[in-house]
Amino acid sequence: MAVRGAVPEVIWARPERTGRGPKPAYTRDDIAAAAVRIADAQGLDAVSMRHVAAELGCGTMSLYNYVPRKEDLHELMVDAVSAEHARWEPSGDWRADMRRVAGQTRELMRRHPWLPRLMSPAYGFSPNALRYLEHCLACLDPLEAPYGTKLEFIALLNGMVTTYVRNELDTAERVRALPWSEDEENAVRIAYLGSRIASGAYPRMAAAFAEDAGPIDLEAVFERAVERVLDAFDPERGAR
Amino acid sequence: MAVRGAVPEVIWARPERTGRGPKPAYTRDDIAAAAVRIADAQGLDAVSMRHVAAELGCGTMSLYNYVPRKEDLHELMVDAVSAEHARWEPSGDWRADMRRVAGQTRELMRRHPWLPRLMSPAYGFSPNALRYLEHCLACLDPLEAPYGTKLEFIALLNGMVTTYVRNELDTAERVRALPWSEDEENAVRIAYLGSRIASGAYPRMAAAFAEDAGPIDLEAVFERAVERVLDAFDPERGAR
DNA sequence: ACCGCACTGCGTACGGTGTACGTAACTACG
DNA sequence: CGTAGTTACGTACACCGTACGCAGTGCGGT
Protein backbone atom coordinates (compact mmCIF):
# COMPACT_ATOMS: atom_id res chain seq x y z
CA MET A 1 0.00 0.00 0.00
CA ALA A 2 1.32 3.41 -0.93
CA VAL A 3 2.12 6.04 1.67
CA ARG A 4 -0.01 8.55 -0.15
CA GLY A 5 -3.34 7.93 1.58
CA ALA A 6 -3.79 10.15 4.65
CA VAL A 7 -4.12 7.66 7.46
CA PRO A 8 -3.50 8.33 11.12
CA GLU A 9 -0.28 6.69 12.21
CA VAL A 10 2.53 6.97 14.68
CA ILE A 11 5.85 7.21 12.94
CA TRP A 12 7.37 4.79 15.45
CA ALA A 13 4.88 2.12 14.50
CA ARG A 14 5.88 2.45 10.87
CA PRO A 15 8.61 -0.04 9.97
CA GLU A 16 11.75 1.52 8.55
CA ARG A 17 12.00 -1.12 5.85
CA THR A 18 9.20 -3.10 4.29
CA GLY A 19 11.26 -5.50 2.19
CA ARG A 20 10.21 -4.72 -1.33
CA GLY A 21 12.02 -2.40 -3.73
CA PRO A 22 15.46 -0.82 -3.51
CA LYS A 23 16.85 -0.45 -0.02
CA PRO A 24 16.58 3.03 1.44
CA ALA A 25 19.70 5.15 1.23
CA TYR A 26 19.25 6.69 4.68
CA THR A 27 18.09 5.59 8.08
CA ARG A 28 15.68 7.48 10.28
CA ASP A 29 18.64 8.34 12.49
CA ASP A 30 20.52 9.85 9.54
CA ILE A 31 17.57 12.12 8.84
CA ALA A 32 17.05 13.12 12.45
CA ALA A 33 20.76 13.84 12.81
CA ALA A 34 20.78 16.02 9.71
CA ALA A 35 17.77 17.99 10.93
CA VAL A 36 19.30 18.40 14.39
CA ARG A 37 22.56 19.58 12.84
CA ILE A 38 20.73 22.29 10.93
CA ALA A 39 18.61 23.33 13.90
CA ASP A 40 21.63 23.58 16.17
CA ALA A 41 23.61 25.61 13.67
CA GLN A 42 21.00 27.83 12.06
CA GLY A 43 17.94 27.69 14.27
CA LEU A 44 14.66 25.85 14.02
CA ASP A 45 13.30 28.04 11.25
CA ALA A 46 16.08 26.83 8.97
CA VAL A 47 14.81 23.26 9.28
CA SER A 48 12.86 22.99 6.05
CA MET A 49 12.30 19.85 4.04
CA ARG A 50 14.52 21.30 1.32
CA HIS A 51 17.39 22.10 3.67
CA VAL A 52 17.28 18.75 5.40
CA ALA A 53 17.21 16.98 2.05
CA ALA A 54 20.16 19.04 0.84
CA GLU A 55 22.06 18.28 4.05
CA LEU A 56 21.41 14.60 3.45
CA GLY A 57 22.35 14.95 -0.18
CA CYS A 58 19.10 13.86 -1.78
CA GLY A 59 16.17 15.43 -3.57
CA THR A 60 13.58 17.25 -1.54
CA MET A 61 10.73 14.89 -2.28
CA SER A 62 12.75 11.82 -1.45
CA LEU A 63 12.50 12.84 2.17
CA TYR A 64 8.79 12.13 2.05
CA ASN A 65 9.56 8.47 1.58
CA TYR A 66 10.90 8.46 5.11
CA VAL A 67 8.85 11.16 6.82
CA PRO A 68 5.24 11.57 5.77
CA ARG A 69 4.86 15.09 7.22
CA LYS A 70 7.15 17.76 8.54
CA GLU A 71 5.58 17.30 11.94
CA ASP A 72 7.00 13.79 12.00
CA LEU A 73 10.42 15.19 11.28
CA HIS A 74 10.05 17.31 14.40
CA GLU A 75 9.09 14.23 16.36
CA LEU A 76 12.20 12.45 15.10
CA MET A 77 14.35 15.41 16.16
CA VAL A 78 12.95 15.47 19.67
CA ASP A 79 13.47 11.75 20.05
CA ALA A 80 17.00 11.96 18.66
CA VAL A 81 18.23 14.49 21.19
CA SER A 82 16.29 12.74 23.97
CA ALA A 83 18.79 9.94 23.52
CA GLU A 84 21.32 12.27 25.16
CA HIS A 85 19.50 11.92 28.46
CA ALA A 86 21.80 10.00 30.77
CA ARG A 87 20.27 7.25 32.87
CA TRP A 88 21.88 6.11 36.10
CA GLU A 89 21.23 3.72 38.92
CA PRO A 90 18.89 5.60 41.29
CA SER A 91 20.73 6.70 44.41
CA GLY A 92 17.88 6.14 46.84
CA ASP A 93 17.58 9.90 47.44
CA TRP A 94 14.78 10.91 45.14
CA ARG A 95 15.30 14.62 45.72
CA ALA A 96 18.93 14.40 44.63
CA ASP A 97 18.04 12.27 41.64
CA MET A 98 15.24 14.54 40.46
CA ARG A 99 17.45 17.56 40.94
CA ARG A 100 19.94 15.88 38.67
CA VAL A 101 17.23 15.04 36.14
CA ALA A 102 16.12 18.67 36.07
CA GLY A 103 19.65 19.98 35.67
CA GLN A 104 20.36 17.51 32.93
CA THR A 105 17.22 18.43 31.03
CA ARG A 106 18.20 22.05 31.26
CA GLU A 107 21.65 21.32 29.88
CA LEU A 108 20.11 19.32 27.06
CA MET A 109 17.91 22.24 26.11
CA ARG A 110 20.80 24.66 26.25
CA ARG A 111 22.68 22.45 23.83
CA HIS A 112 19.62 22.41 21.57
CA PRO A 113 17.87 25.75 22.03
CA TRP A 114 15.07 24.78 19.66
CA LEU A 115 13.98 21.90 21.88
CA PRO A 116 11.63 23.78 24.21
CA ARG A 117 9.67 25.17 21.28
CA LEU A 118 9.19 21.67 19.89
CA MET A 119 8.16 19.99 23.13
CA SER A 120 4.70 18.57 22.79
CA PRO A 121 2.75 16.05 24.81
CA ALA A 122 2.13 14.25 21.53
CA TYR A 123 5.82 13.34 21.38
CA GLY A 124 5.73 11.54 24.70
CA PHE A 125 5.45 8.16 23.00
CA SER A 126 8.81 8.11 21.28
CA PRO A 127 11.24 5.36 22.33
CA ASN A 128 13.60 7.68 24.15
CA ALA A 129 10.76 9.56 25.81
CA LEU A 130 9.48 6.28 27.20
CA ARG A 131 12.94 5.33 28.46
CA TYR A 132 13.28 8.74 30.08
CA LEU A 133 9.92 8.45 31.79
CA GLU A 134 10.71 4.99 33.11
CA HIS A 135 13.98 6.29 34.47
CA CYS A 136 12.25 9.14 36.29
CA LEU A 137 9.81 6.68 37.82
CA ALA A 138 12.73 4.54 38.95
CA CYS A 139 14.28 7.56 40.63
CA LEU A 140 10.99 8.13 42.43
CA ASP A 141 10.77 4.61 43.81
CA PRO A 142 11.79 5.81 47.30
CA LEU A 143 8.98 8.35 47.31
CA GLU A 144 5.88 6.87 48.86
CA ALA A 145 3.07 7.98 46.62
CA PRO A 146 0.72 6.46 44.05
CA TYR A 147 1.98 6.38 40.50
CA GLY A 148 -0.64 8.95 39.56
CA THR A 149 1.01 11.47 41.87
CA LYS A 150 4.47 10.59 40.61
CA LEU A 151 3.41 11.16 37.03
CA GLU A 152 1.95 14.53 37.99
CA PHE A 153 5.21 15.32 39.74
CA ILE A 154 7.28 14.49 36.68
CA ALA A 155 4.96 16.47 34.46
CA LEU A 156 5.11 19.51 36.73
CA LEU A 157 8.89 19.42 37.08
CA ASN A 158 9.44 18.87 33.38
CA GLY A 159 6.97 21.58 32.50
CA MET A 160 8.69 23.98 34.85
CA VAL A 161 12.12 23.23 33.43
CA THR A 162 10.86 23.56 29.86
CA THR A 163 9.10 26.83 30.56
CA TYR A 164 12.10 28.17 32.39
CA VAL A 165 14.66 27.30 29.76
CA ARG A 166 12.34 28.52 27.04
CA ASN A 167 12.08 31.90 28.69
CA GLU A 168 15.84 31.89 29.02
CA LEU A 169 16.47 31.07 25.38
CA ASP A 170 13.40 32.38 23.60
CA THR A 171 14.79 35.83 23.00
CA ALA A 172 18.12 34.44 21.86
CA GLU A 173 16.44 32.12 19.38
CA ARG A 174 13.98 34.77 18.28
CA VAL A 175 16.63 37.40 17.81
CA ARG A 176 18.36 35.23 15.22
CA ALA A 177 15.71 36.24 12.69
CA LEU A 178 15.79 39.88 13.73
CA PRO A 179 17.87 42.54 12.03
CA TRP A 180 19.27 43.80 15.33
CA SER A 181 21.05 42.25 18.29
CA GLU A 182 19.60 40.82 21.46
CA ASP A 183 21.28 43.49 23.53
CA GLU A 184 19.77 46.27 21.48
CA GLU A 185 16.36 44.62 21.76
CA ASN A 186 16.69 44.27 25.52
CA ALA A 187 17.98 47.80 25.99
CA VAL A 188 15.00 49.21 24.11
CA ARG A 189 12.53 47.10 26.09
CA ILE A 190 14.11 47.90 29.45
CA ALA A 191 14.08 51.58 28.60
CA TYR A 192 10.39 51.39 27.75
CA LEU A 193 9.66 49.45 30.93
CA GLY A 194 11.49 52.09 32.93
CA SER A 195 9.42 54.84 31.39
CA ARG A 196 6.21 52.98 32.18
CA ILE A 197 7.21 52.36 35.77
CA ALA A 198 8.21 55.99 36.14
CA SER A 199 4.61 56.88 35.29
CA GLY A 200 3.65 55.82 38.80
CA ALA A 201 0.81 53.60 37.62
CA TYR A 202 2.54 50.48 38.93
CA PRO A 203 3.66 51.18 42.48
CA ARG A 204 4.43 47.57 43.43
CA MET A 205 6.48 46.94 40.32
CA ALA A 206 8.38 50.13 41.04
CA ALA A 207 9.03 48.86 44.56
CA ALA A 208 10.12 45.50 43.16
CA PHE A 209 12.65 47.18 40.92
CA ALA A 210 13.87 49.46 43.68
CA GLU A 211 14.27 46.52 46.04
CA ASP A 212 16.80 44.65 44.01
CA ALA A 213 18.54 46.44 41.20
CA GLY A 214 21.45 44.01 40.91
CA PRO A 215 21.82 41.70 37.96
CA ILE A 216 19.74 38.55 38.42
CA ASP A 217 21.55 35.24 38.74
CA LEU A 218 19.69 32.94 36.37
CA GLU A 219 21.45 29.91 37.77
CA ALA A 220 20.25 30.62 41.29
CA VAL A 221 16.72 31.40 40.13
CA PHE A 222 16.55 28.06 38.34
CA GLU A 223 17.83 26.12 41.31
CA ARG A 224 15.36 27.83 43.64
CA ALA A 225 12.49 26.98 41.30
CA VAL A 226 13.54 23.32 41.19
CA GLU A 227 13.71 23.25 44.98
CA ARG A 228 10.21 24.73 45.20
CA VAL A 229 8.79 22.01 43.01
CA LEU A 230 10.61 19.30 44.97
CA ASP A 231 9.24 20.82 48.18
CA ALA A 232 5.75 20.73 46.77
CA PHE A 233 5.91 16.93 46.54
CA ASP A 234 8.02 16.21 49.62
CA PRO A 235 6.00 14.60 52.44
CA GLU A 236 8.71 15.78 54.88
CA ARG A 237 8.61 19.32 53.62
CA GLY A 238 8.22 20.59 57.20
CA ALA A 239 11.96 20.29 57.60
CA ARG A 240 13.07 23.25 55.51
CA MET B 1 11.38 59.23 9.48
CA ALA B 2 10.17 56.34 7.44
CA VAL B 3 9.40 52.98 9.00
CA ARG B 4 11.62 51.25 6.49
CA GLY B 5 14.93 51.32 8.36
CA ALA B 6 15.37 48.26 10.60
CA VAL B 7 15.67 49.78 14.03
CA PRO B 8 14.99 48.03 17.32
CA GLU B 9 11.79 49.29 18.84
CA VAL B 10 8.95 48.30 21.07
CA ILE B 11 5.65 48.63 19.33
CA TRP B 12 4.11 50.17 22.44
CA ALA B 13 6.63 53.00 22.37
CA ARG B 14 5.67 53.80 18.81
CA PRO B 15 2.95 56.47 18.69
CA GLU B 16 -0.19 55.47 16.85
CA ARG B 17 -0.41 58.80 15.07
CA THR B 18 2.38 61.17 14.23
CA GLY B 19 0.38 64.11 12.93
CA ARG B 20 1.48 64.45 9.35
CA GLY B 21 -0.22 62.93 6.32
CA PRO B 22 -3.66 61.35 5.97
CA LYS B 23 -5.14 59.98 9.17
CA PRO B 24 -4.92 56.21 9.56
CA ALA B 25 -8.05 54.28 8.71
CA TYR B 26 -7.67 51.78 11.55
CA THR B 27 -6.53 51.78 15.14
CA ARG B 28 -4.15 49.28 16.67
CA ASP B 29 -7.13 47.82 18.52
CA ASP B 30 -9.00 47.29 15.24
CA ILE B 31 -6.08 45.32 13.91
CA ALA B 32 -5.58 43.26 17.05
CA ALA B 33 -9.31 42.51 17.16
CA ALA B 34 -9.32 41.35 13.54
CA ALA B 35 -6.35 39.06 14.13
CA VAL B 36 -7.89 37.65 17.29
CA ARG B 37 -11.15 37.03 15.46
CA ILE B 38 -9.33 35.00 12.81
CA ALA B 39 -7.23 33.08 15.32
CA ASP B 40 -10.27 32.20 17.41
CA ALA B 41 -12.26 31.04 14.40
CA GLN B 42 -9.65 29.39 12.22
CA GLY B 43 -6.61 28.82 14.38
CA LEU B 44 -3.31 30.61 14.70
CA ASP B 45 -1.97 29.37 11.38
CA ALA B 46 -4.74 31.23 9.59
CA VAL B 47 -3.43 34.51 10.95
CA SER B 48 -1.45 35.72 7.96
CA MET B 49 -0.85 39.32 7.01
CA ARG B 50 -3.05 38.78 3.97
CA HIS B 51 -5.95 37.35 5.96
CA VAL B 52 -5.83 40.01 8.61
CA ALA B 53 -5.70 42.72 5.96
CA ALA B 54 -8.66 41.16 4.18
CA GLU B 55 -10.58 40.93 7.46
CA LEU B 56 -9.88 44.62 7.99
CA GLY B 57 -10.81 45.38 4.40
CA CYS B 58 -7.53 46.87 3.22
CA GLY B 59 -4.61 45.88 1.06
CA THR B 60 -2.03 43.51 2.46
CA MET B 61 0.85 45.93 2.49
CA SER B 62 -1.17 48.64 4.19
CA LEU B 63 -0.96 46.57 7.35
CA TYR B 64 2.75 47.24 7.47
CA ASN B 65 2.05 50.89 8.15
CA TYR B 66 0.65 49.85 11.51
CA VAL B 67 2.65 46.73 12.30
CA PRO B 68 6.28 46.62 11.20
CA ARG B 69 6.63 42.82 11.50
CA LYS B 70 4.31 39.90 11.96
CA GLU B 71 5.86 39.30 15.33
CA ASP B 72 4.46 42.64 16.45
CA LEU B 73 1.04 41.56 15.32
CA HIS B 74 1.36 38.59 17.66
CA GLU B 75 2.33 40.94 20.45
CA LEU B 76 -0.75 43.02 19.78
CA MET B 77 -2.92 39.90 19.89
CA VAL B 78 -1.55 38.76 23.23
CA ASP B 79 -2.05 42.21 24.71
CA ALA B 80 -5.56 42.46 23.31
CA VAL B 81 -6.83 39.29 24.95
CA SER B 82 -4.89 40.09 28.12
CA ALA B 83 -7.38 42.91 28.55
CA GLU B 84 -9.93 40.22 29.39
CA HIS B 85 -8.12 39.54 32.64
CA ALA B 86 -10.43 40.67 35.43
CA ARG B 87 -8.89 42.67 38.25
CA TRP B 88 -10.52 42.79 41.66
CA GLU B 89 -9.89 44.22 45.08
CA PRO B 90 -7.57 41.69 46.76
CA SER B 91 -9.43 39.70 49.40
CA GLY B 92 -6.58 39.51 51.89
CA ASP B 93 -6.32 35.75 51.36
CA TRP B 94 -3.50 35.46 48.85
CA ARG B 95 -4.03 31.75 48.29
CA ALA B 96 -7.64 32.30 47.30
CA ASP B 97 -6.73 35.23 45.10
CA MET B 98 -3.93 33.40 43.30
CA ARG B 99 -6.17 30.38 42.84
CA ARG B 100 -8.64 32.69 41.17
CA VAL B 101 -5.92 34.23 39.03
CA ALA B 102 -4.80 30.79 37.86
CA GLY B 103 -8.34 29.67 37.07
CA GLN B 104 -9.02 32.87 35.21
CA THR B 105 -5.88 32.55 33.14
CA ARG B 106 -6.88 29.03 32.25
CA GLU B 107 -10.33 30.15 31.16
CA LEU B 108 -8.77 32.92 29.08
CA MET B 109 -6.58 30.41 27.30
CA ARG B 110 -9.46 28.06 26.69
CA ARG B 111 -11.33 30.92 25.05
CA HIS B 112 -8.26 31.63 22.91
CA PRO B 113 -6.53 28.30 22.35
CA TRP B 114 -3.71 29.92 20.38
CA LEU B 115 -2.61 32.00 23.37
CA PRO B 116 -0.28 29.47 25.05
CA ARG B 117 1.68 29.03 21.84
CA LEU B 118 2.19 32.79 21.57
CA MET B 119 3.19 33.39 25.17
CA SER B 120 6.66 34.82 25.29
CA PRO B 121 8.60 36.62 27.99
CA ALA B 122 9.27 39.32 25.41
CA TYR B 123 5.59 40.25 25.52
CA GLY B 124 5.67 40.96 29.25
CA PHE B 125 5.96 44.69 28.63
CA SER B 126 2.62 45.28 27.00
CA PRO B 127 0.20 47.60 28.81
CA ASN B 128 -2.20 44.85 29.83
CA ALA B 129 0.63 42.54 30.88
CA LEU B 130 1.92 45.25 33.19
CA ARG B 131 -1.56 45.79 34.64
CA TYR B 132 -1.92 42.05 35.17
CA LEU B 133 1.43 41.78 36.90
CA GLU B 134 0.66 44.71 39.19
CA HIS B 135 -2.65 43.06 40.08
CA CYS B 136 -0.92 39.79 40.96
CA LEU B 137 1.52 41.67 43.18
CA ALA B 138 -1.41 43.39 44.89
CA CYS B 139 -2.98 40.00 45.57
CA LEU B 140 0.32 38.91 47.13
CA ASP B 141 0.52 41.86 49.51
CA PRO B 142 -0.51 39.68 52.49
CA LEU B 143 2.31 37.23 51.73
CA GLU B 144 5.39 38.16 53.69
CA ALA B 145 8.20 37.78 51.23
CA PRO B 146 10.56 39.99 49.24
CA TYR B 147 9.32 41.13 45.85
CA GLY B 148 11.93 38.94 44.20
CA THR B 149 10.28 35.86 45.64
CA LYS B 150 6.83 37.10 44.70
CA LEU B 151 7.91 37.61 41.10
CA GLU B 152 9.35 34.11 41.01
CA PHE B 153 6.09 32.83 42.44
CA ILE B 154 4.03 34.55 39.77
CA ALA B 155 6.37 33.32 37.06
CA LEU B 156 6.20 29.75 38.31
CA LEU B 157 2.41 29.75 38.66
CA ASN B 158 1.89 31.39 35.28
CA GLY B 159 4.35 29.05 33.64
CA MET B 160 2.61 26.06 35.15
CA VAL B 161 -0.82 27.21 34.00
CA THR B 162 0.46 27.98 30.51
CA THR B 163 2.23 24.65 30.20
CA TYR B 164 -0.77 22.82 31.53
CA VAL B 165 -3.32 24.45 29.25
CA ARG B 166 -0.99 24.13 26.31
CA ASN B 167 -0.74 20.40 26.86
CA GLU B 168 -4.50 20.32 27.16
CA LEU B 169 -5.11 22.22 23.95
CA ASP B 170 -2.05 21.50 21.87
CA THR B 171 -3.43 18.37 20.31
CA ALA B 172 -6.75 20.03 19.61
CA GLU B 173 -5.06 22.98 17.90
CA ARG B 174 -2.62 20.77 16.08
CA VAL B 175 -5.26 18.39 14.86
CA ARG B 176 -6.97 21.23 13.02
CA ALA B 177 -4.28 21.02 10.37
CA LEU B 178 -4.32 17.23 10.25
CA PRO B 179 -6.32 15.17 7.78
CA TRP B 180 -7.74 12.96 10.52
CA SER B 181 -9.57 13.52 13.78
CA GLU B 182 -8.16 13.93 17.25
CA ASP B 183 -9.85 10.73 18.38
CA GLU B 184 -8.26 8.72 15.61
CA GLU B 185 -4.89 10.23 16.42
CA ASN B 186 -5.26 9.42 20.10
CA ALA B 187 -6.50 5.90 19.45
CA VAL B 188 -3.49 5.16 17.28
CA ARG B 189 -1.05 6.59 19.82
CA ILE B 190 -2.65 4.81 22.76
CA ALA B 191 -2.58 1.55 20.85
CA TYR B 192 1.09 2.01 20.13
CA LEU B 193 1.79 2.91 23.73
CA GLY B 194 -0.04 -0.21 24.84
CA SER B 195 2.08 -2.37 22.56
CA ARG B 196 5.26 -0.81 23.92
CA ILE B 197 4.22 -1.30 27.51
CA ALA B 198 3.25 -4.88 26.76
CA SER B 199 6.84 -5.46 25.70
CA GLY B 200 7.77 -5.50 29.38
CA ALA B 201 10.60 -3.02 28.95
CA TYR B 202 8.86 -0.43 31.13
CA PRO B 203 7.71 -2.18 34.30
CA ARG B 204 6.92 0.97 36.28
CA MET B 205 4.88 2.49 33.48
CA ALA B 206 3.00 -0.77 33.21
CA ALA B 207 2.32 -0.61 36.92
CA ALA B 208 1.21 3.01 36.62
CA PHE B 209 -1.29 2.09 33.95
CA ALA B 210 -2.51 -0.92 35.89
CA GLU B 211 -2.94 1.19 39.03
CA ASP B 212 -5.46 3.59 37.65
CA ALA B 213 -7.18 2.74 34.41
CA GLY B 214 -10.08 5.15 34.89
CA PRO B 215 -10.46 8.25 32.71
CA ILE B 216 -8.40 11.12 34.11
CA ASP B 217 -10.23 14.18 35.40
CA LEU B 218 -8.36 17.09 33.82
CA GLU B 219 -10.14 19.56 36.08
CA ALA B 220 -8.96 17.81 39.23
CA VAL B 221 -5.42 17.41 37.90
CA PHE B 222 -5.24 21.13 37.21
CA GLU B 223 -6.54 22.10 40.63
CA ARG B 224 -4.09 19.77 42.32
CA ALA B 225 -1.21 21.26 40.37
CA VAL B 226 -2.26 24.78 41.37
CA GLU B 227 -2.44 23.72 45.00
CA ARG B 228 1.05 22.22 44.79
CA VAL B 229 2.48 25.49 43.53
CA LEU B 230 0.65 27.48 46.19
CA ASP B 231 2.00 25.07 48.82
CA ALA B 232 5.50 25.57 47.52
CA PHE B 233 5.34 29.26 48.44
CA ASP B 234 3.23 29.04 51.58
CA PRO B 235 5.24 29.73 54.75
CA GLU B 236 2.52 27.89 56.72
CA ARG B 237 2.65 24.87 54.46
CA GLY B 238 3.02 22.59 57.49
CA ALA B 239 -0.73 22.80 57.97
CA ARG B 240 -1.90 20.71 55.03
C1' DA C 1 13.77 -17.85 -14.29
C1' DC C 2 10.98 -14.33 -14.70
C1' DC C 3 7.26 -11.23 -14.26
C1' DG C 4 4.90 -7.78 -11.61
C1' DC C 5 4.55 -4.76 -8.08
C1' DA C 6 5.87 -2.20 -4.21
C1' DC C 7 9.14 0.68 -3.24
C1' DT C 8 12.83 4.52 -3.75
C1' DG C 9 14.35 8.72 -5.95
C1' DC C 10 13.24 13.02 -7.70
C1' DG C 11 11.64 16.95 -10.95
C1' DT C 12 7.82 19.83 -11.53
C1' DA C 13 4.09 22.52 -10.02
C1' DC C 14 0.63 24.76 -7.02
C1' DG C 15 -0.97 27.58 -3.58
C1' DG C 16 0.47 29.66 0.24
C1' DT C 17 3.78 32.70 3.20
C1' DG C 18 6.49 37.26 4.91
C1' DT C 19 7.92 41.38 3.22
C1' DA C 20 11.12 44.79 0.18
C1' DC C 21 10.22 48.28 -2.95
C1' DG C 22 8.07 51.78 -5.91
C1' DT C 23 4.35 54.78 -6.79
C1' DA C 24 0.31 57.70 -6.07
C1' DA C 25 -2.64 60.36 -3.07
C1' DC C 26 -3.14 63.15 0.91
C1' DT C 27 -2.48 66.44 4.83
C1' DA C 28 -0.30 69.21 8.35
C1' DC C 29 3.55 72.14 9.13
C1' DG C 30 7.13 75.91 7.86
C1' DC D 1 1.64 77.36 -0.69
C1' DG D 2 5.06 74.24 -1.39
C1' DT D 3 6.99 70.22 0.59
C1' DA D 4 8.05 66.64 3.67
C1' DG D 5 6.26 62.81 5.92
C1' DT D 6 2.52 59.62 5.87
C1' DT D 7 -1.00 56.39 4.20
C1' DA D 8 -2.48 53.08 0.84
C1' DC D 9 -1.44 49.38 -2.05
C1' DG D 10 0.08 46.68 -6.39
C1' DT D 11 3.86 44.05 -7.84
C1' DA D 12 7.58 41.00 -7.14
C1' DC D 13 10.77 37.78 -4.93
C1' DA D 14 12.35 34.10 -2.32
C1' DC D 15 10.88 30.54 0.26
C1' DC D 16 7.74 27.20 2.26
C1' DG D 17 5.01 22.34 2.54
C1' DT D 18 3.63 18.97 -0.31
C1' DA D 19 0.50 16.62 -4.27
C1' DC D 20 1.48 14.22 -8.31
C1' DG D 21 3.68 11.68 -11.93
C1' DC D 22 7.27 9.13 -13.82
C1' DA D 23 11.64 6.30 -14.07
C1' DG D 24 14.39 2.90 -12.09
C1' DT D 25 15.16 -1.03 -8.75
C1' DG D 26 15.03 -5.40 -6.65
C1' DC D 27 12.16 -8.81 -3.79
C1' DG D 28 8.02 -12.23 -3.74
C1' DG D 29 5.25 -15.31 -5.92
C1' DT D 30 4.62 -18.39 -9.60
Side-chain angles (χ1 to χ4, degrees), chain A residues 47-125:
Chain A
V47 177
S48 71
M49 298 302 270
R50 279 171 241 259
H51 278 171
V52 174
E55 174 82 17
L56 276 172
C58 72
T60 305
M61 294 315 288
S62 307
L63 249 192
Y64 283 89
N65 285 325
Y66 303 84
V67 175
R69 297 164 303 128
K70 195 192 180 184
E71 169 110 25
D72 294 304
L73 179 62
H74 287 161
E75 193 158 350
L76 287 185
M77 292 171 67
V78 173
D79 183 68
V81 297
S82 294
E84 296 179 26
H85 268 126
R87 295 194 303 284
W88 59 87
E89 197 62 35
S91 67
D93 177 353
W94 64 267
R95 283 190 68 118
D97 281 336
M98 292 311 282
R99 227 187 322 257
R100 190 168 158 196
V101 165
Q104 178 182 245
T105 303
R106 184 177 181 226
E107 286 313 311
L108 181 68
M109 289 179 171
R110 284 153 81 99
R111 271 198 303 278
H112 308 289
W114 43 269
L115 226 197
R117 253 177 63 190
L118 241 46
M119 276 298 192
S120 159
Y123 298 163
F125 303 92

